[in-house]
Amino acid sequence: MQFETDIFNVAFEAVQKLFNVKVDTERIQLQRTKAEFEGDITLVVFSLTKISKKSPEETGSLLGHYLLNHSEIIQSFNTVKGFLNLVIKDEAWLHQLKKAQQHAHFGFAVSKKPGTVVVEYSSPNTNKPLHLGHIRNNLLGWSVAEILKADGNEVKKVNLVNDRGIHICKSMLAWLKSGNGETPQSTGLKGDHLVGKYYVEFDRMLREEKQLLMEQGLSEDEAEKKSTLMEEAREMLRQWENGDKDIISLWKTMNGWVYEGFDVTYRNLGVDFDKIYYESETYLLGKKIVEEGIKKKVFQKKPDGSVRIDLTEDGLDEKVVLRSDGTAVYITQDIGTARLRFDDYRFSKMIYVVGNEQDYHFKVLKLITKKLGYDWSDAIYHLSYGMIDLPSGKMKSREGTVVDADELLNDLFAESERITKELGKIDDFGSEEAKQLYRSIGLGALKYFLLRVDPEKRMLFNPAESIDFNGDTGPFIQYTFARIQSVLRKARMTEALCEYENRQFSNQHVINKEERELIIHLLQFPYVVHEAAEKLSPALIAHYAFSTARLFNHFYHHHSIADIENSDTSAFRLKLTAFTGKVIRSALQMMGIHAPERM
RNA sequence: GGUCCCGUAGCUCAACUGGAUAGAGCAUCAGCCUUCUAAGCUGAGGGUUACUGGUUCGAGUCCAGUCGGGAUCACCA
């Protein structure tokens, strides 16, 4: 918060002088004053009454007088119960505003922090197309990485493609059995969708087989074990790990289709990576580490051939790290991948953006790396985000209740086109320019919708209502930006005002209520960015961007910015408007949302 | 069953390390475009923060219990 340290220091000194005690720093609590009271910053004095041995009102009043006399920036104060509300001088705000406006990258950290932060996100399986849940993951990961960069961190975005394992074999097997040589070219299907079709097909065939077995009196578990299809899939995985030429070749082909499809979706979403890891390239290292771990007695080889780790003492269970047939499981490769990453980046922190359904997995991963003696184990952090629910419940790919990423994007682009055309504000745009705008508005709606919610919390998406373009939405913020640019454009074409950028205002410039509120809010931006980075929460940026837009619109409707008699006031307001635009653009940028000049 | 997470307005979400009268948007109702973009602005109604107790100057926030929802405890990922 702006002026926090200034006031803190004087308050600290005040307590010492007035009550003759050196206080613990946490006793001095500062916060923004609530809107319904007069003041900008509030000192909560309850915790100081024990020291002052006076009533909260009296304590506040004594401190208030001291602060008023010893701080340059305080205009006045009032006490309500145990709250000491401080009014900061307008000239102090204006002074800060001037400094902020001169800042080339206001809101972004000035100095670099030591160390490298690795952010893993996306991490798709190559057996099915991306859905809404993956979109939340991608946008969260991307945005968290950008926010960390803005806060001065060296950041590497990495993706871990889960390109091997039993699930891929299922798609391959189904394609071999009933694919008739279909390809993306022959079907016109996007590659990831084609492969996904066969993953679903495998599941259908398996259910059929299990049904037959269960009719013979087997339980579901037994049926799964007895299933010849499952056995074939497992056999395929063994052949794959043995490097069987045909299997590898088919695997390469089908994964290739998926990657082409993913690339399109990633491009649409505007996410990118510094490095892509493939499980097929890390699982062997994982297996090697497991072998070493057996010697170190971290893992135990069981009579059935499987390798396990006993985590019961840590409150968890016994965990398999290698199957009895020697093949690797999920955690095996994750151990290898983590180690490889450390060798690559020597990270000071590694953030895994992965859904909360895997909380257990990451507890295990952290524990295993710890037991293996890796000191970077503590640097592992699981950014665990909530699932997206539909009104009907959880999304399930097998039951076809998923919201497909590509479909959703296209729907949003179409909706944005419809609304834009209806409003008719960009009728002079060329078709390509218009198309770009439809995309950026559709994406703005989607990204804001997903990022505004606290990552930890699960959220609800209603396909029937889809995503709004009015109110607390991305397009509202984009619209406010476009409106700002429009005002500035007009002013630049006015002879009396075109020089507004070069005009300097005095700290004694008189400001109104709406301007004051907006200025104070704008000056919070760097603190918000810092907090968002600490909490790894793009939601804080989203809320901030929204309230910035709301405050600006409020100001806009109460005062005329450009066409007024007084050119000093006008120049001041134009500069304030331009600065607001800059802050909004930076905030949107951290969420990957484009700020359009017109819409 | 064990472990963990969640329950805030009709709906979707806020509420800084415990702080003042729990805030926004959507939806509903009533207003505002001869003026810088109405994807906007102004106003109204809407709450026992699931429930019961406790901790204290103060609890949506912390603790215990109850009810309701979810995740996980795979030789799936």
Side-chain angles (χ1 to χ4, degrees):
Chain A
M1 167 166 64
Q2 186 80 56
F3 298 130
E4 187 168 8
T5 39
D6 307 63
I7 291 175
F8 181 89
N9 290 336
V10 186
F12 187 78
E13 181 188 301
V15 174
Q16 214 169 344
K17 290 263 166 66
L18 292 171
F19 312 124
N20 228 347
V21 190
K22 218 171 175 176
V23 277
D24 300 335
T25 49
E26 64 264 23
R27 288 269 175 119
I28 298 175
Q29 299 176 45
L30 294 172
Q31 56 188 252
R32 286 288 312 273
T33 304
K34 291 238 169 189
E36 57 265 42
F37 299 95
E38 191 200 351
D40 302 317
I41 295 176
T42 294
L43 188 108
V44 187
V45 300
F46 291 107
S47 52
L48 295 168
T49 50
K50 278 192 187 118
I51 293 167
S52 70
K53 308 225 168 56
K54 292 185 187 344
S55 73
E57 290 84 352
E58 215 175 326
T59 311
S61 170
L62 281 169
L63 284 166
H65 278 106
Y66 187 96
L67 287 165
L68 187 61
N69 292 328
H70 293 82
S71 169
E72 297 283 301
I73 57 171
I74 294 172
Q75 176 75 47
S76 63
F77 73 90
N78 63 81
T79 53
V80 182
K81 291 191 266 179
F83 299 92
L84 168 60
N85 300 321
L86 304 164
V87 180
I88 306 294
K89 287 179 185 167
D90 286 358
E91 60 173 278
W93 290 120
L94 287 171
H95 176 70
Q96 292 300 326
L97 176 64
K98 243 187 236 177
K99 271 170 58 183
Q101 283 175 330
Q102 282 154 12
H103 203 303
H105 301 285
F106 179 69
F108 294 78
V110 261
S111 56
K112 269 271 177 223
K113 293 187 170 59
T116 298
V117 183
V118 171
V119 180
E120 177 195 300
Y121 68 98
S122 198
S123 314
N125 292 348
T126 58
N127 61 339
K128 49 180 182 281
L130 305 177
H131 60 65
L132 184 56
H134 297 113
I135 300 185
R136 186 178 196 191
N137 179 300
N138 278 284
L139 298 182
L140 248 183
W142 189 90
S143 181
V144 162
E146 291 301 316
I147 291 166
L148 286 168
K149 277 187 201 170
D151 196 41
N153 295 284
E154 171 75 21
V155 178
K156 295 291 175 194
K157 300 175 190 162
V158 302
N159 190 356
L160 173 65
V161 180
N162 183 216
D163 61 344
R164 43 138 258 128
I166 192 82
H167 52 294
I168 318 289
C169 295
K170 291 179 181 175
S171 297
M172 298 195 320
L173 197 60
W175 184 85
L176 280 177
K177 284 185 184 296
S178 62
N180 300 317
E182 276 189 4
T183 66
Q185 290 72 33
S186 76
T187 55
L189 274 176
K190 202 159 156 277
D192 48 339
H193 289 262
L194 179 68
V195 173
K197 180 179 147 190
Y198 286 99
Y199 185 69
V200 173
E201 174 61 13
F202 178 89
D203 201 63
R204 195 196 58 75
M205 293 191 296
L206 179 63
R207 269 205 310 271
E208 226 172 63
E209 193 191 8
K210 272 161 66 175
Q211 190 59 42
L212 282 173
L213 289 166
M214 280 155 73
E215 276 163 19
Q216 292 165 21
L218 273 70
S219 75
E220 189 167 354
D221 279 359
E222 289 166 340
E224 176 122 6
K225 273 180 192 147
K226 280 270 165 62
S227 150
T228 55
L229 268 171
M230 276 309 292
E231 185 43 42
E232 280 182 84
R234 282 191 289 265
E235 175 56 26
M236 194 180 249
L237 181 62
R238 282 190 288 271
Q239 287 177 4
W240 184 91
E241 287 206 13
N242 284 334
D244 181 280
K245 259 170 89 182
D246 291 343
I247 301 293
I248 297 283
S249 155
L250 174 63
W251 172 75
K252 280 188 177 162
T253 305
M254 288 181 72
N255 270 349
W257 296 343
V258 174
Y259 297 146
E260 282 172 28
F262 281 176
D263 282 346
V264 172
T265 310
Y266 284 147
R267 257 204 310 281
N268 271 331
L269 284 174
V271 299
D272 56 5
F273 304 96
D274 294 301
K275 180 157 180 154
I276 298 180
Y277 290 86
Y278 297 90
E279 283 194 12
S280 57
E281 293 167 357
T282 65
Y283 82 103
L284 287 174
L285 177 58
K287 285 172 90 166
K288 206 179 114 202
I289 295 169
V290 169
E291 297 297 336
E292 290 165 7
I294 296 172
K295 285 180 204 137
K296 287 195 232 164
K297 302 240 165 51
V298 175
F299 306 117
Q300 291 83 41
K301 188 147 196 164
K302 297 286 167 178
D304 63 4
S306 66
V307 179
R308 305 179 187 214
I309 180 164
D310 186 3
L311 300 172
T312 46
E313 278 180 17
D314 299 280
L316 305 177
D317 299 273
E318 194 174 62
K319 187 85 190 167
V320 170
V321 292
L322 274 185
R323 291 193 187 93
S324 49
D325 64 4
T327 55
V329 292
Y330 180 45
I331 194 111
T332 322
Q333 63 73 30
D334 243 344
I335 298 167
T337 310
R339 164 84 168 267
L340 193 61
R341 291 225 184 102
F342 186 74
D343 292 343
D344 285 346
Y345 295 115
R346 303 274 144 183
F347 51 75
S348 48
K349 193 164 185 179
M350 172 153 63
I351 297 167
Y352 287 91
V353 182
V354 179
N356 61 13
E357 54 190 356
Q358 294 192 34
D359 286 356
Y360 185 78
H361 172 79
F362 283 97
K363 268 188 200 163
V364 171
L365 179 66
K366 200 163 166 140
L367 214 56
I368 290 182
T369 49
K370 186 106 194 162
K371 286 183 188 292
L372 283 168
Y374 297 129
D375 48 12
W376 44 261
S377 171
D378 293 329
I380 292 178
Y381 182 84
H382 176 203
L383 174 51
S384 163
Y385 65 89
M387 300 287 102
I388 299 183
D389 286 321
L390 302 174
S392 55
K394 207 186 163 183
M395 281 192 272
K396 292 194 174 116
S397 34
R398 288 172 192 185
E399 292 170 21
T401 54
V402 293
V403 176
D404 180 72
D406 298 313
E407 261 176 56
L408 178 61
L409 283 170
N410 286 331
D411 288 352
L412 288 169
F413 296 160
E415 177 67 359
S416 136
E417 178 171 354
R418 189 187 66 77
I419 294 173
T420 308
K421 281 185 172 159
E422 200 175 283
L423 293 171
K425 293 179 185 178
I426 59 150
D427 292 343
D428 57 322
F429 272 32
S431 67
E432 191 50 37
E433 200 182 358
K435 203 178 144 198
Q436 283 309 316
L437 182 67
Y438 305 147
R439 295 176 62 89
S440 64
I441 295 171
L443 278 170
L446 177 65
K447 292 185 175 184
Y448 186 84
F449 179 84
L450 293 173
L451 292 176
R452 67 187 267 267
V453 180
D454 183 342
E456 288 176 18
K457 299 204 173 150
R458 52 191 312 133
M459 62 185 294
L460 192 116
F461 175 77
N462 189 340
E465 294 168 10
S466 192
I467 294 173
D468 225 319
F469 287 67
N470 296 314
D472 186 5
T473 67
F476 166 81
I477 302 167
Q478 292 174 304
Y479 171 77
T480 305
F481 179 83
R483 168 186 262 176
I484 285 171
Q485 299 317 308
S486 169
V487 173
L488 297 175
R489 251 189 326 266
K490 290 236 163 93
R492 280 195 292 268
M493 296 194 302
T494 316
E495 202 177 336
L497 298 171
C498 60
E499 294 286 328
Y500 74 87
E501 282 174 82
N502 304 323
R503 301 269 291 266
Q504 198 48 275
F505 56 86
S506 129
N507 287 349
Q508 264 61 48
H509 179 82
V510 179
I511 50 175
N512 60 46
K513 182 168 154 275
E514 287 76 18
E515 287 166 339
R516 195 172 192 279
E517 270 180 36
L518 182 58
I519 291 165
I520 293 174
H521 182 78
L522 291 170
L523 289 171
Q524 303 307 317
F525 187 44
Y527 303 94
V528 174
V529 173
H530 181 65
E531 199 189 342
E534 290 213 315
K535 295 192 172 164
L536 304 176
S537 175
L540 298 178
I541 302 292
H543 294 142
Y544 179 80
F546 173 64
S547 44
T548 308
R550 216 163 35 118
L551 279 173
F552 176 81
N553 283 327
H554 185 70
F555 160 67
Y556 174 91
H557 278 274
H558 282 76
H559 306 282
S560 91
I561 297 167
D563 56 349
I564 54 169
E565 311 293 310
N566 186 334
S567 73
D568 276 348
T569 302
S570 195
F572 174 80
R573 289 182 183 169
L574 283 164
K575 288 187 84 161
L576 180 59
T577 299
F579 185 58
T580 306
K582 211 170 133 179
V583 169
I584 289 179
R585 183 168 48 209
S586 301
L588 287 177
Q589 190 187 320
M590 289 173 203
M591 295 186 280
I593 298 174
H594 178 246
E597 294 294 313
R598 287 179 56 191
M599 71 181 266

